[in-house]
Amino acid sequence: MAKTTLTRRALLKSGAIAAGALAMPSVVRAQSTTEMTMLAWYGQAEPDAVAAFEELHNVKITPKYYVGGEQMLALLAQSPPGTYDLIHADAEYVQQLVLANFVEKLDPSDYHFDDFYPEFHKFPGHWHNDELYAVISRFGFLGISHNLDAVSVKEASSYDVLWNEKNKDKVGHFDWHLPNLGVLSLRDGNAAPYDIGGDAWAQLQETTLSLKPQVRGFYDYGGVLSSLKSGEVTVMPGIGEWITGVLRRDGANVTTTIPEQGGIQFTESFSIGRGSKKADLARKFIQYTSSPEGQFTLANLNVFPAIIPSKVGWERMINEKPEDARHLGMFKGDGNSIDLIRKGRIHIRQLPVQQDLADWNDFWSAYKST
Amino acid sequence: MTSSLSIRRLSRLAYGGIWSLPLPLWLAGFFLGPMILLIWLSFWDVKNFLLTPDFQLENWKKMLSAPYFWAAYLRTFIIAISAAALVSLIALPCSLAISFFLSVRARMVVLGLFVVPFFTSYLVRVYSWQIYLTENGIVMKLLAAIGIDSGSLLNTPLALMIGLVTLTLPLVIVIQSISMLSLDKTLIDAAYNLGCGPCRVLFATVLPAVRPGIVLGALFAFIFSFGDFVTATYLGGGKFTTMSILIADTVKSGQQWPRAAVVALMMIATLLITALASIAFAYRRT
């Protein structure tokens, strides 16, 4: 039997070779993985949303999450062009992205618009001078979210339920003026809830102030979830399935009803950031989000479920997740979410047209302080 | 001989200077610098959601003429002063017991226990209170069991006070206790020897002697309560707009950092005046 001696040099050499061999796959992977940045609302770049795309294209999406469209605009204004490859925004802020030259023009033929309901082929706010700047990813309706043990669907079919004596000290507000004042504007009978003149604005303030004695509190996202779940609050205007869908997953008996006076629509979309060096990859990501697979994924995000604009995506939701699809209004026949849009009961959330945004904000601060 | 003396004096000065240096450095870096920046920021403008350097008085005019600003200011002041008074009253008997009735070993254990709450994040403690105070919470169930239907306690002034007491009580007890423990006990003996009863000893001897501790404890309670955001948001339900909530609201909508700076500066001014007045009262010769 041959005698083997292990010298110190040999040990170090073999150790280095072994370490190199072990590290090689990750080194190779690290070399070939592309990093792409995304400026988005929370949840849009979590594994449940992007893992399939990342694996398919060997890319790592690095998110920078923001809270509110104005913070997003401020972040973009403070960053050099090309900082963010993908920008996820609500429709009301896309026009401002375009005007500030923060986003690239898109080619509509690149995306799966043929799969979408016609209402989303040329969605207002995503187009500017007949050019496309953002592709809708998902949307939802805001009306009245309520605990079914305390407020029935029939009762919630009118915003007047908020003033009902039995809901005294049981009305909660998501602490953002835009959706709250939007639905209360609908309750006042304004056909265009955000485009109101001086008299209607004065009336809206009066209506809102008259609700204060009923109000339990003003909550952030976490507070909205816990207050509705615990029964602290039984009814909330201006929120939707993005809250009640999450709570139902946890067993809460809650739902969202769109009252007869109408509801507000929020819309999420993706754009390519101005100066992105990975614009091709960003385009592929938006193609993925508009594809049937991507649409199904987006409808079921962990952060909150939402309605998708893709007809093919709807089919899959109806077949695979019928209960969730029903709550979201993705079913066939009268009263589904597209039907509500076609009947004119849904109004797109937007920034105030005739007043300054600061006026609405100041009023909201005053309302909270009374 | 002279030169050796001056070298020794110089080295002593350098030694003292080195030990004294961290304080002015810290004050300059973490107080004066940010304060100057904050004052400067309060004159800036916001254009298209972007901070723009400027020198205009608009932010001051806007905030100081807004009724909701003064409503929030008054509310915050009342809440903070109420919390300081309440906490001081609750802390007083505890501190007296710790200082005068407990053995040295028991005193160390009890004071140690008052430090334990600081091991947990205040936010976590406030969230825990939500579980107790909410509609179907433990407190409601206990009250219901004895036939009292009080409804939820969350988002009430009581919940607000519970949160602020949670935040400040341990600190106030520790400050008061340290002050009482440093009291010259012969004063108490002298008072008894001169025929004072327990109440007179307390009010004529102990409390005047430990006034700095009581006032400083109350001052800390006031400072923490005045600037607190967590309790007002999670136990007050955002229903009682305080100055901290107003700062958050102002920034959230429109990225109005300059207006938020005005609110912050008003808070700092109030706290400085209150602190100076309190310290003057605490160490006033009677």
Side-chain angles (χ1 to χ4, degrees):
Chain A
M1 190 173 168
K3 189 183 172 190
T4 54
T5 51
L6 189 62
T7 62
R8 191 171 56 180
R9 183 171 294 179
L11 177 70
L12 287 172
K13 195 177 168 185
S14 49
I17 292 168
L22 284 171
M24 193 55 82
S26 55
V27 170
V28 170
R29 210 180 308 127
Q31 278 175 345
S32 57
T33 300
T34 310
E35 192 181 306
M36 189 160 64
T37 51
M38 181 196 285
L39 183 61
W41 277 101
Y42 177 75
Q44 301 297 322
E46 295 303 294
D48 64 304
V50 299
F53 178 82
E54 285 181 333
E55 201 174 332
L56 194 64
H57 295 278
N58 196 21
V59 60
K60 174 83 190 91
I61 296 178
T62 307
K64 165 76 182 168
Y65 290 131
Y66 64 79
V67 185
E70 288 146 31
Q71 192 195 5
M72 171 199 65
L73 291 167
L75 282 168
L76 281 166
Q78 290 154 12
S79 315
T83 304
Y84 301 105
D85 301 305
L86 281 163
I87 298 168
H88 172 254
D90 294 342
E92 60 264 44
Y93 291 100
V94 172
Q95 282 300 312
Q96 304 204 37
L97 287 173
V98 175
L99 293 173
N101 202 21
F102 288 147
V103 288
E104 299 280 359
K105 238 179 269 177
L106 304 175
D107 181 351
S109 65
D110 283 340
Y111 308 101
H112 298 257
F113 279 109
D114 289 345
D115 288 348
F116 286 8
Y117 282 99
E119 284 74 10
F120 303 103
H121 287 179
K122 211 158 183 183
F123 192 76
H126 290 173
W127 293 73
H128 186 77
N129 292 337
D130 221 25
E131 301 279 4
L132 177 70
Y133 287 89
V135 176
I136 183 171
S137 56
R138 52 191 212 148
F139 63 98
F141 297 153
L142 312 172
I144 288 184
S145 295
H146 52 107
N147 188 320
L148 285 161
D149 295 332
V151 176
S152 68
V153 171
K154 192 177 174 215
E155 286 172 311
S157 65
S158 167
Y159 287 109
D160 292 346
V161 73
L162 299 169
W163 282 264
N164 190 313
E165 189 57 31
K166 80 169 184 177
N167 292 319
K168 189 167 177 60
D169 213 23
K170 289 287 181 187
V171 176
H173 277 302
F174 176 53
D175 193 4
W176 186 22
H177 53 77
L178 222 47
N180 280 292
L181 295 179
V183 295
L184 294 176
S185 179
L186 287 172
R187 192 260 183 185
D188 276 355
N190 295 313
Y194 295 96
D195 190 0
I196 54 176
D199 289 346
W201 170 230
Q203 178 57 49
L204 176 57
Q205 293 178 67
E206 200 178 306
T207 302
T208 309
L209 287 168
S210 73
L211 184 59
K212 188 67 190 284
Q214 302 285 97
V215 172
R216 184 61 179 235
F218 297 81
Y219 305 93
D220 60 11
Y221 176 64
V224 167
L225 290 172
S226 62
S227 61
L228 259 177
K229 192 180 175 200
S230 67
E232 189 76 23
V233 157
T234 53
V235 57
M236 274 198 179
I239 58 168
E241 275 295 292
W242 69 281
I243 289 290
T244 44
V246 174
L247 287 172
R248 246 191 338 272
R249 285 176 187 164
D250 212 15
N253 190 22
V254 293
T255 194
T256 295
T257 301
I258 303 301
E260 291 301 324
Q261 296 103 321
I264 300 291
Q265 180 182 353
F266 73 86
T267 308
E268 298 176 359
S269 64
F270 282 105
S271 301
I272 299 175
R274 170 74 62 194
S276 166
K277 292 191 171 56
K278 287 145 197 162
D280 279 347
L281 203 50
R283 193 180 65 246
K284 281 180 185 159
F285 181 80
I286 302 176
Q287 283 169 349
Y288 166 75
T289 60
S290 62
S291 71
E293 178 63 32
Q295 282 282 287
F296 181 75
T297 302
L298 287 176
N300 296 291
L301 288 191
N302 286 341
V303 65
F304 63 84
I307 312 168
I308 44 178
S310 165
K311 287 180 276 188
V312 191
W314 273 48
E315 292 291 339
R316 199 167 156 197
M317 280 298 290
I318 291 164
N319 290 331
E320 294 180 31
K321 298 206 164 192
E323 187 63 15
D324 290 346
R326 189 180 63 78
H327 276 289
L328 287 163
M330 291 191 281
F331 52 85
K332 288 173 182 165
D334 278 357
N336 70 30
S337 50
I338 297 297
D339 191 39
L340 291 179
I341 292 173
R342 288 177 184 164
K343 283 179 177 161
R345 283 180 57 194
I346 300 298
H347 306 265
I348 297 165
R349 190 178 66 200
Q350 60 184 120
L351 302 180
V353 178
Q354 298 187 44
Q355 293 80 35
D356 198 83
L357 181 64
D359 294 338
W360 281 44
N361 183 47
D362 285 351
F363 169 67
W364 189 249
S365 293
Y367 172 58
K368 284 171 69 179
S369 264
T370 52
Chain B
M1 184 73 180
T2 318
S3 100
S4 136
L5 265 177
S6 62
I7 287 170
R8 206 175 298 157
R9 200 175 297 139
L10 272 175
S11 73
R12 204 178 299 145
L13 272 174
Y15 180 77
I18 287 168
W19 280 105
S20 314
L21 206 56
L23 183 63
L25 279 181
W26 188 90
L27 279 174
F30 295 98
F31 181 71
L32 273 180
M35 178 69 102
I36 291 166
L37 189 67
L38 200 63
I39 294 170
W40 188 31
L41 184 66
S42 71
F43 297 103
W44 284 25
D45 196 7
V46 176
K47 284 178 183 154
N48 294 324
F49 308 104
L50 186 63
L51 279 172
T52 314
D54 200 348
F55 191 85
Q56 43 119 359
L57 293 169
E58 198 49 43
N59 303 313
W60 286 90
K61 282 185 197 161
K62 171 85 185 171
M63 293 314 288
L64 298 187
S65 64
Y68 64 80
F69 168 85
W70 291 109
Y73 183 88
L74 191 64
R75 183 179 297 114
T76 311
F77 197 88
I78 290 170
I79 288 171
I81 210 153
S82 308
L86 180 67
V87 167
S88 298
L89 278 176
I90 297 171
L92 195 61
C94 300
S95 310
L96 284 168
I98 290 167
S99 310
F100 299 116
F101 302 116
L102 293 185
S103 66
V104 175
R105 178 186 283 264
R107 188 186 296 154
M108 297 313 289
V109 171
V110 171
L111 281 176
L113 286 175
F114 277 113
V115 178
V116 170
F118 294 108
F119 296 173
T120 313
S121 156
Y122 174 51
L123 185 63
V124 173
R125 282 183 279 155
V126 163
Y127 266 124
S128 314
W129 270 116
Q130 280 195 341
I131 299 166
Y132 281 85
L133 301 176
T134 192
E135 196 77 11
N136 302 310
I138 297 162
V139 175
M140 298 306 101
K141 282 182 179 161
L142 284 174
L143 289 174
I146 56 170
I148 300 171
D149 180 20
S150 64
S152 169
L153 290 175
L154 264 185
N155 307 356
T156 61
L158 180 61
L160 208 56
M161 281 299 144
I162 288 172
L164 294 175
V165 169
T166 305
L167 172 68
T168 56
L169 185 66
L171 182 69
V172 174
I173 288 177
V174 170
I175 292 173
Q176 284 190 2
S177 298
I178 289 170
S179 173
M180 286 179 191
L181 286 169
S182 62
L183 175 71
D184 183 357
K185 303 289 187 299
T186 55
L187 289 174
I188 299 172
D189 294 336
Y192 275 120
N193 289 340
L194 290 169
C196 293
C199 278
R200 192 141 184 229
V201 170
L202 178 65
F203 287 105
T205 308
V206 176
L207 292 186
V210 298
R211 188 175 63 195
I214 294 172
V215 175
L216 288 181
L219 175 63
F220 272 97
F222 179 85
I223 290 170
F224 280 114
S225 305
F226 194 77
D228 181 58
F229 175 78
V230 173
T231 298
T233 304
Y234 295 106
L235 295 182
K239 205 173 160 186
F240 309 98
T241 305
T242 58
M243 296 289 266
S244 306
I245 291 180
L246 190 58
I247 288 179
D249 285 355
T250 309
V251 171
K252 204 162 58 182
S253 187
Q255 294 289 301
Q256 276 292 350
W257 291 95
R259 288 181 194 168
V262 172
V263 182
L265 285 167
M266 289 297 287
M267 289 178 76
I268 292 170
T270 306
L271 290 177
L272 274 176
I273 291 167
T274 310
L276 291 174
S278 303
I279 290 166
F281 174 69
Y283 294 101
R284 188 183 61 175
R285 281 175 174 274
T286 49

